[in-house]
Amino acid sequence: LLIREGRYEEAFHVISEFGCEGVPTRLLLRLSSRLILGDGEDGEKLLQLTEYVFKKEKYDEVMLSYLRDHYRGSVRNLCRLWRKLKGFQLETLSLDERILLQSIRTHQFPDDEGKILCDYVRQQGRPEVTAAFLSYLSDYYFLGGRAISESEIVTMENAMDRGEVDYTICKLALLRYYSTLDTLDARRMERAGVLLKQMDEKGLRFEFYHKLPKRLIQAYQIEDKVFVQDQFRPGSRVILHYQLKEQDGEQTEWISEPMNNVYHGIFVKEFLLFYGESLRYYMSVMDDGKISDSDTYEVSLVDMDTSGATKFRLLNRMLEARDQGDDGKLREAEEQYLRQECFVNRFLKLMD
């Protein structure tokens, strides 16, 4: 009755003391909107009232704008509010930022994260917030295996081109994403080359580099290497036990050596194998005072690609041809090998 008569302050006083159960939601919406427009004095109780009405799926532009500026709920509820604001075509910059920052702090992922991030960038949000959220996404994608969208990758690329993002984890995330694509356009090919060079200079080399275009990885002799790689807790100590077996069946003694924690718990060891050789290995992981052994694995170049023009690929191709009795393929690989050796010795002299 008080609300219908326009006695909003009195109605709010009664509701603040006794609650609003049983009052029609449409009237509570009317009360909330009038109090917001009249600068209600009791901010906390007014916010509680507007939250209650919003959860009942009643809202207008006034209430949504008020919640945008004052509501501090869960990431999920903030995203729900964001969608309603967009439905009314209201400005959301401050809410965008609140969602992104709260997602980082609470390790929760917002609904429509790609749209919210793009919306924040479009409205010229703070670059440091964008960079922090992109780093957060990259960490979960590269280390946690969580999916990342094309729109988020494009946002990261643009921010990197503007010089707003320079985190290693973002660069690694881009390289891994590129490795999943069938083709790279000219701009991405150029960017991948720059990033790959930077990562190699830091000693960050990973098995997925094999999936990048060959002309990018040839300079780093990645296509000639076999990577033993696994991921454990960053504080773990990992010992690699391995044995080499040659084509004639002769085996070396088991060798044990520590693996390098290349990046945040990703342990990597590189091997150079020739055709017919195989590598058997397993890992001992020391974590929290306990030691556990992995299964034993075996990898061999017999089943691997011997195409290509590097020195080691040509040697492997010759060994493969000899093993298969293919004299034509053997002579072809020998001639190409000798031509390249002659060219290198004649024109590519080492400088003092």
Side-chain angles (χ1 to χ4, degrees), residues 69-86:
D69 297 336
H70 298 89
Y71 180 56
R72 299 293 187 274
S74 66
V75 171
R76 182 178 180 180
N77 286 334
L78 287 173
C79 290
R80 177 169 167 259
L81 173 60
W82 182 85
R83 289 191 293 272
K84 303 303 183 185
L85 284 161
K86 284 300 175 185

Side-chain angles (χ1 to χ4, degrees), residues 314 318 333-343 345:
L314 287 170
M318 284 187 269
E334 288 175 340
E335 290 173 2
Q336 185 175 355
Y337 181 88
L338 291 173
R339 282 197 303 270
Q340 290 184 189
E341 283 291 288
C342 181
F343 178 85
N345 293 333

Side-chain angles (χ1 to χ4, degrees), residues 139 142-143 169 231-235 261-267:
D139 185 76
F142 186 76
L143 296 174
I169 188 63
Q231 186 172 353
F232 304 99
R233 289 202 336 155
N261 184 349
V262 174
Y263 190 81
H264 291 235
I266 299 179
F267 292 80

Side-chain angles (χ1 to χ4, degrees), residues 61-293:
E61 292 187 19
V62 174
M63 177 185 287
L64 290 175
S65 298
Y66 179 79
L67 289 171
R68 175 197 61 200
D69 297 336
H70 298 89
Y71 180 56
R72 299 293 187 274
S74 66
V75 171
R76 182 178 180 180
N77 286 334
L78 287 173
C79 290
R80 177 169 167 259
L81 173 60
W82 182 85
R83 289 191 293 272
K84 303 303 183 185
L85 284 161
K86 284 300 175 185
F88 278 80
Q89 298 184 339
L90 296 173
E91 184 270 328
T92 60
L93 179 61
S94 61
L95 182 61
D96 290 341
E97 182 167 302
R98 194 149 73 249
I99 292 173
L100 298 181
L101 291 177
Q102 187 162 322
S103 298
I104 297 172
R105 286 194 298 266
T106 61
H107 294 273
Q108 298 179 46
F109 289 92
D111 300 329
D112 302 317
E113 63 188 51
K115 294 180 181 179
I116 293 173
L117 177 62
C118 291
D119 188 59
Y120 183 69
V121 173
R122 182 184 58 79
Q123 296 181 82
Q124 298 184 336
R126 291 189 295 164
E128 59 268 29
V129 174
T130 301
F133 191 74
L134 288 171
S135 175
Y136 166 68
L137 290 179
S138 298
D139 185 76
Y140 273 86
Y141 170 65
F142 186 76
L143 296 174
R146 186 180 184 273
I148 194 168
S149 68
E150 171 72 13
S151 66
E152 290 163 340
I153 289 293
V154 171
T155 300
M156 192 183 307
E157 291 173 329
N158 293 336
M160 200 171 286
D161 291 344
R162 293 192 299 267
E164 297 171 357
V165 173
D166 194 38
Y167 297 125
T168 296
I169 188 63
C170 293
K171 296 175 181 179
L172 289 173
L174 280 182
L175 282 175
R176 171 161 283 177
Y177 184 79
Y178 291 161
S179 74
T180 66
L181 303 179
D182 294 332
T183 58
L184 297 179
D185 59 29
R187 184 69 189 95
R188 283 183 166 176
M189 185 72 79
E190 178 185 359
R191 185 184 295 108
V194 172
L195 296 179
L196 190 61
K197 183 175 185 295
Q198 293 175 354
M199 297 302 99
D200 186 75
E201 289 173 350
K202 293 183 177 183
L204 300 177
R205 294 163 61 95
F206 302 96
E207 191 277 335
F208 74 85
Y209 288 175
H210 278 293
K211 299 178 182 179
L212 291 168
K214 287 185 177 180
R215 70 186 183 93
L216 290 178
I217 63 177
Q218 282 180 342
Y220 308 103
Q221 298 181 336
I222 290 171
E223 59 179 336
D224 301 321
K225 299 293 180 65
V226 172
F227 283 75
V228 174
Q229 177 177 314
D230 212 332
Q231 186 172 353
F232 304 99
R233 289 202 336 155
S236 303
R237 292 184 60 197
V238 181
I239 303 297
L240 177 66
H241 311 276
Y242 64 92
Q243 180 186 53
L244 291 172
K245 180 180 178 181
E246 298 181 3
Q247 189 173 13
D248 59 8
E250 185 177 347
Q251 298 180 355
T252 66
E253 297 292 329
W254 281 94
I255 300 172
S256 299
E257 59 182 61
M259 290 185 73
N260 292 327
N261 184 349
V262 174
Y263 190 81
H264 291 235
I266 299 179
F267 292 80
V268 182
K269 173 71 176 177
E270 299 178 34
F271 290 90
L272 183 62
L273 296 184
F274 288 97
Y275 178 86
E277 291 182 332
S278 61
L279 173 74
R280 295 183 64 201
Y281 68 91
Y282 68 93
M283 287 164 277
S284 296
V285 183
M286 291 172 275
D287 184 17
D288 197 22
K290 299 179 181 178
I291 301 177
S292 59
D293 291 338

